Amino acid sequence: MMTKNIATQIYTILKQPQLNYLTQDDFKPVLRELLATHPGLEFLQSTPEFQERYAETVIYRIYYYINRSGNGRLTLRELKRGNIIDAMQHADEEEDINKVLRFFSYEHFYVIYCKFWELDTDHDFVIDKENLIRYGNHALTYRIVDRIFSQVPRKFTSKVEGKMGYEDFVYFILSEEDKSSEPSLEYWFKCVDLDGNGVLTRNELQFFYEEQLHRMECMAQEPVLFEDILCQIIDMIGSENESYITLLDLKGGKLSGSIFNILFNLNKFMAFESRDPFLIRQERENPTLTEWDRFAHREYIRLSMEEDVEDVSNGSAEVWDESLEAPF
């Protein structure tokens, strides 16, 4: 009850008087205050451009998880139902910002931004299909990337035709790296639902799996036939109707995210098929962490190690590049 009362107070303070919802801009004063006062973010004060990027990323993450209607208008009801108030209180009490895994972790921002920067080769702050197809070491199929760029799961906020902006990428990477979350299941369901009728049919599943099958053959992997895959998918969901799959079916199953990996992410499909013991051990050791938390932690370590190697090779330990020629 107390959290809901606080939510009402925050909503009233942040909201523009003429509106009955919160916009992304309404959260900017909160982030400015956090950046100015939080000990875990002091080091960003000399680089205002990255303070701005951090703030943007936090706000995009908040809206991804809490603005369930996806219209950019956060209602009081959504604010109360989400976990943003708890996360704000956690950030206020915790000196290590990276322990605030919901929304505010600097390490999570660093991973998202570096991933975008790696794909945005000309650094014009938008990426196209050919850029995105390189994501995760060419993990995704062309067919699913086409669907993302058709803007079916989410209309791009980028003003450049045929290009995905940074906000669009944040929604993509959160969906791609934690397919167990509800926003992610909705994102990918829309992609695979080719006719937009609210159910996934055998033909739609087969359309996406065909490219996976072709890729397996090209890599001399033993192909898994679609009929076998279809049986596996039905078993994983436990759907009452074997002729189609609904979003409700997916939201009710623990392995639902793996179904999308089977259809269009070859690397994750292979890891799932082999039941990677490293990933299984990680899940058992930290059952409260989300798939996104685990991914971000692994990637942050990898990026930090790469940065250390570069620093040694350049004969410098300087992390920040004021010229903006690199993300950090």
Side-chain angles (χ1 to χ4, degrees):
M1 181 62 74
M2 186 177 292
T3 299
K4 291 188 176 181
N5 289 338
I6 295 171
T8 304
Q9 292 170 14
I10 289 174
Y11 177 80
T12 306
I13 293 167
L14 297 181
K15 183 177 72 69
Q16 297 169 49
Q18 73 277 21
L19 302 179
N20 59 353
Y21 54 83
L22 295 174
T23 67
Q24 291 186 2
D25 286 347
D26 294 333
F27 281 90
K28 287 183 178 179
V30 176
L31 270 299
R32 277 197 294 270
E33 179 68 16
L34 184 74
L35 283 159
T37 60
H38 200 287
L41 295 168
E42 276 181 11
F43 70 100
L44 281 175
Q45 289 179 5
S46 61
T47 53
E49 63 272 32
F50 293 117
Q51 284 186 317
E52 189 178 333
R53 293 287 172 243
Y54 168 82
E56 283 176 355
T57 307
V58 170
I59 293 169
Y60 297 155
R61 290 183 69 188
I62 289 169
Y63 272 71
Y64 173 83
Y65 286 107
I66 296 180
N67 180 216
R68 305 298 293 122
S69 61
N71 61 1
R73 300 176 173 187
L74 194 66
T75 64
L76 178 58
R77 178 181 171 81
E78 287 175 323
L79 194 68
K80 286 179 176 179
R81 294 180 69 182
N83 56 357
I84 179 62
I85 305 303
D86 290 338
M88 289 168 80
Q89 290 175 326
H90 188 192
D92 192 47
E93 296 162 3
E94 175 58 66
E95 287 197 6
D96 184 353
I97 198 68
N98 293 316
K99 289 183 179 176
V100 190
L101 299 178
R102 302 287 75 78
F103 314 119
F104 294 102
S105 166
Y106 166 78
E107 290 183 359
H108 289 193
F109 152 69
Y110 184 85
V111 167
I112 293 170
Y113 192 68
C114 286
K115 284 292 194 182
F116 182 79
W117 190 265
E118 286 173 357
L119 298 178
D120 180 22
T121 50
D122 58 1
H123 304 317
D124 59 355
F125 226 60
V126 288
I127 58 178
D128 59 20
K129 283 184 190 179
E130 291 307 312
N131 296 138
L132 192 64
I133 205 74
R134 293 189 293 109
Y135 180 84
N137 195 23
H138 296 262
L140 299 169
T141 62
Y142 280 94
R143 287 182 178 180
I144 201 66
V145 170
D146 280 343
R147 287 292 283 172
I148 293 166
F149 274 82
S150 71
Q151 302 182 42
V152 170
R154 182 175 184 272
K155 190 165 178 57
F156 288 171
T157 56
S158 159
K159 305 298 183 194
V160 185
E161 190 175 345
K163 299 287 182 80
M164 169 187 275
Y166 180 60
E167 180 179 351
D168 309 313
F169 179 78
V170 173
Y171 274 68
F172 158 76
I173 194 172
L174 292 175
S175 298
E176 170 55 27
E177 298 304 342
D178 187 358
K179 294 192 179 80
S180 64
S181 75
E182 284 205 5
S184 174
L185 290 173
E186 290 168 9
Y187 186 97
W188 297 119
F189 187 91
K190 289 175 186 173
C191 282
V192 178
D193 184 13
L194 294 171
D195 58 8
N197 69 344
V199 296
L200 306 184
T201 63
R202 172 198 172 98
N203 289 343
E204 287 167 330
L205 300 178
Q206 188 165 14
F207 172 79
F208 286 97
Y209 187 70
E210 278 173 355
E211 191 176 344
Q212 288 281 68
L213 193 58
H214 177 67
R215 295 174 89 197
M216 279 185 262
E217 290 167 349
C218 290
M219 294 170 66
Q221 297 268 5
E222 185 178 347
V224 185
L225 299 178
F226 178 70
E227 294 301 328
D228 297 329
I229 285 298
L230 187 60
C231 290
Q232 188 176 355
I233 287 173
I234 290 167
D235 287 344
M236 286 164 70
I237 296 176
S239 175
E240 290 182 11
N241 193 318
E242 295 186 3
S243 60
Y244 61 80
I245 297 168
T246 67
L247 184 57
L248 201 60
D249 291 333
L250 293 174
K251 286 183 177 181
K254 286 187 176 180
L255 295 172
S256 296
S258 299
I259 290 166
F260 291 122
N261 289 332
I262 289 170
L263 295 177
F264 51 74
N265 187 314
L266 190 57
N267 298 347
K268 289 182 180 177
F269 176 31
M270 291 297 152
F272 175 74
E273 284 290 290
S274 63
R275 302 297 192 275
D276 188 330
F278 172 72
L279 296 177
I280 291 170
R281 189 171 73 250
Q282 269 195 327
E283 289 173 18
R284 285 176 180 163
E285 286 174 357
N286 295 296
T288 58
L289 296 181
T290 65
E291 284 182 37
W292 165 257
D293 295 334
R294 293 189 188 96
F295 164 78
H297 181 67
R298 288 195 307 270
E299 279 301 301
Y300 184 77
I301 291 171
R302 182 186 69 81
L303 289 164
S304 299
M305 288 172 69
E306 286 180 2
E307 189 179 89
D308 289 344
V309 169
E310 281 183 24
D311 289 343
V312 170
S313 64
N314 293 336
S316 167
E318 181 60 53
V319 175
W320 298 97
D321 183 348
E322 299 286 351
S323 69
L324 272 179
E325 287 302 312
F328 296 95

